[in-house]
Amino acid sequence: MKGVTHQLFATSCVGLALSSGLYEQSLLFAFPVAAAGALLPDMDDPRSKLGRKLGPISELINQFAGHRHFFHSLPFLAAVAWLAWMINQQLPIVPENLWLSFVIGVGSHLLGDMFFGRTGVRLFWPMTTRIRLLPECWSVGGFHEIVFNLCCLAATALFSGVIGSSFSFS
């Protein structure tokens, strides 16, 4: 999936989590934080949206870790969750539970790559088994991704209350 698709999917996932009552957070904070988290696993790809910003750091990570290995795994997600929770606890100016939005963004990236990534992800790294949920005919950047993006936009609008009620940032 491309960076924008990861970000749209992340906001859909956070919208679902918030509308289902999993946790409470202002959309004003939750959506951008989830969208940022959705880019994090691709720091291991110098050609990704985040990788291009990180430049040589992303190149170095890619040389040592490869793409879709550790940074696309449950151990990475657990480490991010712990670190995000710790940061959220230590900074009183950060809204409570904002760490969950970031973690959902990272987790949505892994799920998205299991749907659209040609090779799947090594979810249980260091095990080498790759998990892929859809057939390879679902292409990145093609018709399937456009339809997926439209579905994510509709779901985000529905879960955030844009469709069916008045919009609120509270």
Side-chain angles (χ1 to χ4, degrees), residues 31-49:
F31 282 174
V33 168
L39 298 178
L40 189 65
D42 274 345
M43 73 173 122
D44 64 4
D45 181 4
R47 297 167 295 149
S48 71
K49 194 172 190 175

PDB file of all heavy atoms in Angstrom, residues 31-49:
ATOM      1  N   PHE A  31      -7.038  11.365  14.632  1.00  0.00           N
ATOM      2  CA  PHE A  31      -6.806  11.097  13.211  1.00  0.00           C
ATOM      3  C   PHE A  31      -5.375  11.410  12.762  1.00  0.00           C
ATOM      4  O   PHE A  31      -4.723  10.572  12.144  1.00  0.00           O
ATOM      5  CB  PHE A  31      -7.832  11.834  12.351  1.00  0.00           C
ATOM      6  CG  PHE A  31      -9.188  11.183  12.303  1.00  0.00           C
ATOM      7  CD1 PHE A  31     -10.241  11.814  11.673  1.00  0.00           C
ATOM      8  CD2 PHE A  31      -9.437   9.944  12.867  1.00  0.00           C
ATOM      9  CE1 PHE A  31     -11.503  11.233  11.614  1.00  0.00           C
ATOM     10  CE2 PHE A  31     -10.684   9.346  12.826  1.00  0.00           C
ATOM     11  CZ  PHE A  31     -11.721   9.993  12.186  1.00  0.00           C
ATOM     12  N   PRO A  32      -4.832  12.603  13.062  1.00  0.00           N
ATOM     13  CA  PRO A  32      -3.457  12.857  12.602  1.00  0.00           C
ATOM     14  C   PRO A  32      -2.411  11.973  13.279  1.00  0.00           C
ATOM     15  O   PRO A  32      -1.423  11.580  12.654  1.00  0.00           O
ATOM     16  CB  PRO A  32      -3.222  14.341  12.906  1.00  0.00           C
ATOM     17  CG  PRO A  32      -4.339  14.781  13.757  1.00  0.00           C
ATOM     18  CD  PRO A  32      -5.444  13.803  13.637  1.00  0.00           C
ATOM     19  N   VAL A  33      -2.631  11.631  14.544  1.00  0.00           N
ATOM     20  CA  VAL A  33      -1.674  10.772  15.248  1.00  0.00           C
ATOM     21  C   VAL A  33      -1.703   9.359  14.660  1.00  0.00           C
ATOM     22  O   VAL A  33      -0.652   8.736  14.449  1.00  0.00           O
ATOM     23  CB  VAL A  33      -1.947  10.770  16.772  1.00  0.00           C
ATOM     24  CG1 VAL A  33      -1.178   9.680  17.475  1.00  0.00           C
ATOM     25  CG2 VAL A  33      -1.594  12.132  17.353  1.00  0.00           C
ATOM     26  N   ALA A  34      -2.886   8.860  14.356  1.00  0.00           N
ATOM     27  CA  ALA A  34      -2.997   7.544  13.719  1.00  0.00           C
ATOM     28  C   ALA A  34      -2.366   7.566  12.325  1.00  0.00           C
ATOM     29  O   ALA A  34      -1.664   6.617  11.938  1.00  0.00           O
ATOM     30  CB  ALA A  34      -4.455   7.116  13.616  1.00  0.00           C
ATOM     31  N   ALA A  35      -2.592   8.643  11.590  1.00  0.00           N
ATOM     32  CA  ALA A  35      -2.011   8.760  10.250  1.00  0.00           C
ATOM     33  C   ALA A  35      -0.483   8.775  10.317  1.00  0.00           C
ATOM     34  O   ALA A  35       0.187   8.174   9.472  1.00  0.00           O
ATOM     35  CB  ALA A  35      -2.532  10.013   9.556  1.00  0.00           C
ATOM     36  N   ALA A  36       0.067   9.430  11.335  1.00  0.00           N
ATOM     37  CA  ALA A  36       1.527   9.428  11.513  1.00  0.00           C
ATOM     38  C   ALA A  36       2.020   8.033  11.870  1.00  0.00           C
ATOM     39  O   ALA A  36       3.020   7.554  11.317  1.00  0.00           O
ATOM     40  CB  ALA A  36       1.919  10.423  12.601  1.00  0.00           C
ATOM     41  N   GLY A  37       1.315   7.356  12.776  1.00  0.00           N
ATOM     42  CA  GLY A  37       1.696   5.992  13.151  1.00  0.00           C
ATOM     43  C   GLY A  37       1.662   5.038  11.979  1.00  0.00           C
ATOM     44  O   GLY A  37       2.470   4.114  11.885  1.00  0.00           O
ATOM     45  N   ALA A  38       0.746   5.280  11.042  1.00  0.00           N
ATOM     46  CA  ALA A  38       0.609   4.403   9.881  1.00  0.00           C
ATOM     47  C   ALA A  38       1.833   4.441   8.973  1.00  0.00           C
ATOM     48  O   ALA A  38       2.057   3.510   8.192  1.00  0.00           O
ATOM     49  CB  ALA A  38      -0.632   4.782   9.083  1.00  0.00           C
ATOM     50  N   LEU A  39       2.627   5.471   9.067  1.00  0.00           N
ATOM     51  CA  LEU A  39       3.828   5.576   8.224  1.00  0.00           C
ATOM     52  C   LEU A  39       5.052   4.932   8.878  1.00  0.00           C
ATOM     53  O   LEU A  39       6.020   4.595   8.185  1.00  0.00           O
ATOM     54  CB  LEU A  39       4.126   7.039   7.912  1.00  0.00           C
ATOM     55  CG  LEU A  39       3.056   7.792   7.134  1.00  0.00           C
ATOM     56  CD1 LEU A  39       3.471   9.245   6.955  1.00  0.00           C
ATOM     57  CD2 LEU A  39       2.777   7.139   5.800  1.00  0.00           C
ATOM     58  N   LEU A  40       5.037   4.752  10.181  1.00  0.00           N
ATOM     59  CA  LEU A  40       6.226   4.316  10.920  1.00  0.00           C
ATOM     60  C   LEU A  40       6.846   2.997  10.438  1.00  0.00           C
ATOM     61  O   LEU A  40       8.064   2.931  10.273  1.00  0.00           O
ATOM     62  CB  LEU A  40       5.928   4.258  12.418  1.00  0.00           C
ATOM     63  CG  LEU A  40       7.137   4.020  13.314  1.00  0.00           C
ATOM     64  CD1 LEU A  40       8.113   5.198  13.217  1.00  0.00           C
ATOM     65  CD2 LEU A  40       6.696   3.828  14.754  1.00  0.00           C
ATOM     66  N   PRO A  41       6.068   1.933  10.205  1.00  0.00           N
ATOM     67  CA  PRO A  41       6.723   0.682   9.802  1.00  0.00           C
ATOM     68  C   PRO A  41       7.537   0.781   8.509  1.00  0.00           C
ATOM     69  O   PRO A  41       8.487   0.025   8.326  1.00  0.00           O
ATOM     70  CB  PRO A  41       5.550  -0.296   9.629  1.00  0.00           C
ATOM     71  CG  PRO A  41       4.511   0.221  10.562  1.00  0.00           C
ATOM     72  CD  PRO A  41       4.637   1.721  10.462  1.00  0.00           C
ATOM     73  N   ASP A  42       7.196   1.721   7.649  1.00  0.00           N
ATOM     74  CA  ASP A  42       7.938   1.849   6.394  1.00  0.00           C
ATOM     75  C   ASP A  42       9.209   2.681   6.521  1.00  0.00           C
ATOM     76  O   ASP A  42       9.816   3.048   5.515  1.00  0.00           O
ATOM     77  CB  ASP A  42       7.041   2.404   5.290  1.00  0.00           C
ATOM     78  CG  ASP A  42       6.263   1.314   4.589  1.00  0.00           C
ATOM     79  OD1 ASP A  42       6.617   0.124   4.749  1.00  0.00           O
ATOM     80  OD2 ASP A  42       5.292   1.634   3.879  1.00  0.00           O
ATOM     81  N   MET A  43       9.637   2.937   7.762  1.00  0.00           N
ATOM     82  CA  MET A  43      10.929   3.608   7.914  1.00  0.00           C
ATOM     83  C   MET A  43      12.053   2.704   7.404  1.00  0.00           C
ATOM     84  O   MET A  43      13.164   3.154   7.167  1.00  0.00           O
ATOM     85  CB  MET A  43      11.170   4.011   9.359  1.00  0.00           C
ATOM     86  CG  MET A  43      11.493   2.890  10.303  1.00  0.00           C
ATOM     87  SD  MET A  43      11.953   3.562  11.896  1.00  0.00           S
ATOM     88  CE  MET A  43      10.766   2.781  12.927  1.00  0.00           C
ATOM     89  N   ASP A  44      11.741   1.422   7.186  1.00  0.00           N
ATOM     90  CA  ASP A  44      12.739   0.483   6.669  1.00  0.00           C
ATOM     91  C   ASP A  44      12.794   0.453   5.143  1.00  0.00           C
ATOM     92  O   ASP A  44      13.527  -0.331   4.560  1.00  0.00           O
ATOM     93  CB  ASP A  44      12.478  -0.930   7.214  1.00  0.00           C
ATOM     94  CG  ASP A  44      11.152  -1.518   6.764  1.00  0.00           C
ATOM     95  OD1 ASP A  44      10.435  -0.882   5.972  1.00  0.00           O
ATOM     96  OD2 ASP A  44      10.816  -2.627   7.229  1.00  0.00           O
ATOM     97  N   ASP A  45      12.033   1.330   4.479  1.00  0.00           N
ATOM     98  CA  ASP A  45      12.021   1.413   3.013  1.00  0.00           C
ATOM     99  C   ASP A  45      12.390   2.824   2.578  1.00  0.00           C
ATOM    100  O   ASP A  45      11.584   3.748   2.728  1.00  0.00           O
ATOM    101  CB  ASP A  45      10.637   1.039   2.477  1.00  0.00           C
ATOM    102  CG  ASP A  45      10.561   1.076   0.956  1.00  0.00           C
ATOM    103  OD1 ASP A  45      11.594   1.308   0.293  1.00  0.00           O
ATOM    104  OD2 ASP A  45       9.450   0.871   0.431  1.00  0.00           O
ATOM    105  N   PRO A  46      13.593   3.017   2.033  1.00  0.00           N
ATOM    106  CA  PRO A  46      14.031   4.360   1.639  1.00  0.00           C
ATOM    107  C   PRO A  46      13.147   5.011   0.575  1.00  0.00           C
ATOM    108  O   PRO A  46      13.172   6.215   0.395  1.00  0.00           O
ATOM    109  CB  PRO A  46      15.446   4.139   1.091  1.00  0.00           C
ATOM    110  CG  PRO A  46      15.864   2.804   1.576  1.00  0.00           C
ATOM    111  CD  PRO A  46      14.632   2.009   1.827  1.00  0.00           C
ATOM    112  N   ARG A  47      12.340   4.220  -0.133  1.00  0.00           N
ATOM    113  CA  ARG A  47      11.468   4.771  -1.172  1.00  0.00           C
ATOM    114  C   ARG A  47      10.090   5.156  -0.639  1.00  0.00           C
ATOM    115  O   ARG A  47       9.294   5.749  -1.349  1.00  0.00           O
ATOM    116  CB  ARG A  47      11.298   3.758  -2.313  1.00  0.00           C
ATOM    117  CG  ARG A  47      12.621   3.454  -3.026  1.00  0.00           C
ATOM    118  CD  ARG A  47      12.492   2.253  -3.920  1.00  0.00           C
ATOM    119  NE  ARG A  47      12.222   1.096  -3.048  1.00  0.00           N
ATOM    120  CZ  ARG A  47      11.508   0.043  -3.398  1.00  0.00           C
ATOM    121  NH1 ARG A  47      11.003  -0.051  -4.578  1.00  0.00           N
ATOM    122  NH2 ARG A  47      11.322  -0.943  -2.554  1.00  0.00           N
ATOM    123  N   SER A  48       9.803   4.841   0.619  1.00  0.00           N
ATOM    124  CA  SER A  48       8.498   5.139   1.209  1.00  0.00           C
ATOM    125  C   SER A  48       8.386   6.624   1.535  1.00  0.00           C
ATOM    126  O   SER A  48       9.364   7.369   1.529  1.00  0.00           O
ATOM    127  CB  SER A  48       8.288   4.313   2.479  1.00  0.00           C
ATOM    128  OG  SER A  48       9.130   4.786   3.516  1.00  0.00           O
ATOM    129  N   LYS A  49       7.166   7.045   1.875  1.00  0.00           N
ATOM    130  CA  LYS A  49       6.913   8.438   2.244  1.00  0.00           C
ATOM    131  C   LYS A  49       7.798   8.866   3.418  1.00  0.00           C
ATOM    132  O   LYS A  49       8.447   9.903   3.379  1.00  0.00           O
ATOM    133  CB  LYS A  49       5.427   8.583   2.594  1.00  0.00           C
ATOM    134  CG  LYS A  49       4.914   9.971   2.691  1.00  0.00           C
ATOM    135  CD  LYS A  49       3.394   9.966   2.854  1.00  0.00           C
ATOM    136  CE  LYS A  49       2.823  11.344   2.724  1.00  0.00           C
ATOM    137  NZ  LYS A  49       1.350  11.336   2.762  1.00  0.00           N
TER     138      LYS A  49
END
